[in-house]
Amino acid sequence: MSFNGYKNKIEEGDTVILYLTITQIYSVKAQSKIINKKGNEVVNVFQTPYGALKCGELVGKSFGTKISLSKGWGYVLQPTPELWTITLPHRTQIIYTPDISMIILQLELSPGSIVIESGTGSGSLSHALIRAVKPHGHLHTFEFHEGRSKMATEEFRNHGFSNYVTVRHRDVCEKGFSEELDGVADAVFLDLPHPWLAIPHAIKSLKSSGGRLCSFSPCIEQVQKSCLVLLKLGFQEIQTMEVLQTQLSVQQRNIPVINMDFLKSEKDGSEGEKKDREFLKTVVAIPPPSLPGHTGYLTIATLPPVWARSLQMSLNEVDMIDGEGEGD
Amino acid sequence: MDSGDNTIKIGDYVVVQRQGYTKLHKLKASSKLILGSFNIEMDNVIGEKYFDTFQMKNTPGNKRFYVLEKVEQVNSAKDSLNIEKSGQDNRNIPNNHAESQSLTKEDIDKLKDAELSSNNIVGQLINNSKTFSMKTEYSQEKYIKKKEKKYFEYVQIKKPSIRILVQMFYRQDPTKTLGIRVDDLSQILTYANIHSEGNHLLYDSGTSGLISAAITNAIGPNTTGQLIHTHPGNECQKNAFIAMQFPKEQSDRCINVNLYSVIRCFYQNRNTFVENNAETSEPEAKRQKVDENTKSASNIQKKTWQLDNEKACKILDQKVDSLIITAKEHPVNITKELLSFLKGNRNFVVFSLFKELHQDLYTYLKTRTDIINIRITNNFMRNYQVLPNRTHPEVNMTIAGYLLTGYKLDM
Ligand SMILES: C[S@@+](CC[C@H](N)C(=O)[O-])C[C@H]1O[C@@H](n2cnc3c(N)ncnc32)[C@H](O)[C@@H]1O
């Protein structure tokens, strides 16, 4: 239950972030026993480079404190959606915080918003969506893989999010977002291989006063298809972007300095010392030698309210005709 | 649905959009808006609905002065023009653009003043162009689009949102919002873990109220979260905050205080905000002094800013759940001071346009034992034009600032 609200003490069953170093961050469950792959109950031990951690011993400790390991120490942090995103068990490809942040701002979510998401996948985005809309908003998330939808339901319950989210096992391209959600959503988010098939359904679910839609796609062909459908269906402010984050590492470097002054005058016997190389101590911030150059394209659009839709459709028609006449 | 909510009323802050250009406007009776080279009388939008489209119509006898008329249909230039001839490529097109157009600037102004109609003007421009028919179909289209944009006579009225405001401010003048771009803002909110609960502390040295508005928006209506917005001036900047038109209950939970004055109050006037029950455990002599002080203080009518300081200090005394710093000043001292108000097991974010300042801050934070997970990040963001067979990154791109994020331990 460690996601919902601020918390001081670790309780049995809480998800805990184990921070060892900036690149060694893990999530563990504070409980002494766990069911292993063979279905047997075993002691819940997490192996770290600094020794084994008996997770049951975390119960009663305070979040934000140091814990000792046999060959070092670590810190236990309360999970946030950001920490969860970098430590969660991957069941699918996931969306990361730079894209997630942009999605939430572009969908104009705030507490009280009703938001629809598909597919749920590993729930990386879902956690941030729930935080943005709770306590009186709601996330309706759809996943057509039964196992994944069950695991997500279980995870949200474990994290104390049950009141703010409904997981549905359903193919949204074929069947849409279910009639009970007709006209209720402020925003719809799609992370699907064929997002354009779900866009017509999204219109049904969005409020008659309009709303925002965002689709995340790794490939530009998906973006092109989605954009054409969005145009056809009368969306406006259609925008496609990508956001890539670089992390700089601050380091102190000794930079060699070349000094040539001594060359300008006659020998005075001091040349010998010049062989000691001079260095300048300086602080630099350097990007990593290689970094992700692509995650996915975010395509974002506004569905106007019903009273402005037909006007928008006639406007969009022109852009579509432009495209269809091309190619010769 | 709820049409009352969507009716444009006097007193509303509205966003007027013409093509990609947007401007914020406060609607008063018979107010005027200057939109680029157009001077527009806004009265006719009152009583209509958000998202409605209006045509700018010339007023007889008054050049460059336009009234708005609601429309149900918009004609695009490309649709109404009949283009008969296009070239195969641009081999025959002279380089000198000016000579190919026989309409002078005065001629065009005359057309514009007679009737602002992009269709008509674009049509005339084409008829008077010596080279238009030699252009390829593709360049013809590009030409029409470009000209249509210039003489486009329609505007749309929208409600302000954080998304619209951050993009509008950045486009108009990034220096007025410390250069904070949409991606910067989006990440400030997530990495600081801003949500409906908790007390949040902001130092903002001037983003036209954008950051306090964005945090208040993320805290939401009818929730428990509060924001202490500290600023360096006499008055805080609040353009964006006012434009959001939060319900009173929500905007009241953003406490605006001067940084110096709230810190002075916190360290020098503890008696004004420390709860009574805490006093009983204090020595007799001290308690008496406190009693006298509170008595004399209640005799004088306190100013709003004093009450706000006390309200803020009361929260600071309990410590806060997140810290956001968007400063043009050097971040080390500010961060050092304000971190002492942050609870353990909480996150903070500092924005700066310069990575060198973050290097200093990083070096300082590394000397502390209670701060971990320190990261300096920067984004590459790019927009795309997506059109069949003409998809490519947009020609212009912008630069973002740097975020330093970190976590405070509970020690
Ligand atoms: C890339 S994952 C989503 C990851 C998620 N955004 C996250 O951050 O964890 C895509 C998911 O969509 C699901 N999916 C694909 N097509 C679907 C459909 N038509 N209806 C419902 N779910 C679908 C897949 O099973 C997969 O789990």
Side-chain angles (χ1 to χ4, degrees), chain B residues 82-121:
Chain B
N82 198 1
I83 297 147
E84 284 164 353
K85 219 174 140 223
S86 332
Q88 280 300 313
D89 51 43
N90 59 9
R91 72 182 74 186
N92 296 320
I93 300 178
N95 277 331
N96 193 336
H97 279 277
E99 272 169 33
S100 61
Q101 179 57 255
S102 54
L103 286 183
T104 63
K105 189 176 177 304
E106 286 73 44
D107 294 334
I108 298 169
D109 278 348
K110 249 185 231 154
L111 283 172
K112 207 168 134 189
D113 294 343
E115 190 203 357
L116 182 66
S117 155
S118 48
N119 291 1
N120 181 30
I121 299 174

Side-chain angles (χ1 to χ4, degrees), chain A residues 92-95 117-125 142-145 148 170-173 189 191-193:
Chain A
T92 60
Q93 293 267 41
I94 65 161
I95 303 183
E117 173 197 34
S118 185
T120 316
S122 308
S124 170
L125 172 67
F142 292 80
E143 171 59 60
F144 74 177
H145 184 286
R148 268 174 229 151
R170 191 180 171 99
D171 182 333
V172 299
C173 293
F189 174 81
D191 180 1
L192 299 168

Side-chain angles (χ1 to χ4, degrees), chain A residues 103-156:
Chain A
I103 290 164
I104 288 172
L105 195 140
Q106 292 288 345
L107 289 181
E108 301 187 340
L109 299 181
S110 61
S113 301
I114 307 293
V115 56
I116 289 176
E117 173 197 34
S118 185
T120 316
S122 308
S124 170
L125 172 67
S126 319
H127 280 75
L129 293 175
I130 293 169
R131 174 184 57 186
V133 304
K134 82 190 182 90
H136 30 259
H138 204 85
L139 168 67
H140 296 275
T141 183
F142 292 80
E143 171 59 60
F144 74 177
H145 184 286
E146 189 168 12
R148 268 174 229 151
S149 81
K150 282 202 172 128
M151 278 165 122
T153 313
E154 178 61 19
E155 214 166 69
F156 295 140

Side-chain angles (χ1 to χ4, degrees), chain A residues 7 19 64 78 101 106 108 131 136 212 224 236 240-242 244-246 248 283 305 307 311 322, chain B residues 50 53 145 156 158 161 163 167 187 190 193 221 345 359 373 376 378-380 382 384 391 410:
Chain A
K7 194 166 179 179
Y19 179 102
Q78 187 182 353
S101 307
Q106 292 288 345
E108 301 187 340
R131 174 184 57 186
H136 30 259
R212 295 277 289 167
Q224 288 174 319
Q236 42 174 259
T240 297
M241 61 165 78
E242 65 177 340
L244 295 166
Q245 187 185 68
T246 314
L248 302 176
V283 176
W307 60 87
L311 173 68
D322 284 356
Chain B
Y50 283 98
T53 298
K145 275 245 166 94
Q156 209 183 15
K158 296 201 170 150
S161 71
R163 165 185 69 90
Q167 293 181 0
Q187 293 177 22
T190 47
N193 193 19
N345 183 33
Q359 284 170 209
N373 206 15
I376 300 177
N378 169 244
N379 299 315
F380 168 95
R382 168 182 235 196
Y384 284 79
T391 297
D410 188 16

Side-chain angles (χ1 to χ4, degrees), chain A residues 13 18 35 88 98 103 117 146 150-151 171 180 198-199 206-207 210 247 251 255 284 287 315:
Chain A
L18 177 65
I35 311 289
L88 59 78
I103 290 164
E117 173 197 34
E146 189 168 12
K150 282 202 172 128
M151 278 165 122
D171 182 333
E180 38 181 331
I199 295 172
L206 284 164
K207 287 184 176 162
Q247 200 169 308
Q251 294 175 8
I255 310 290
V284 291
L315 264 177

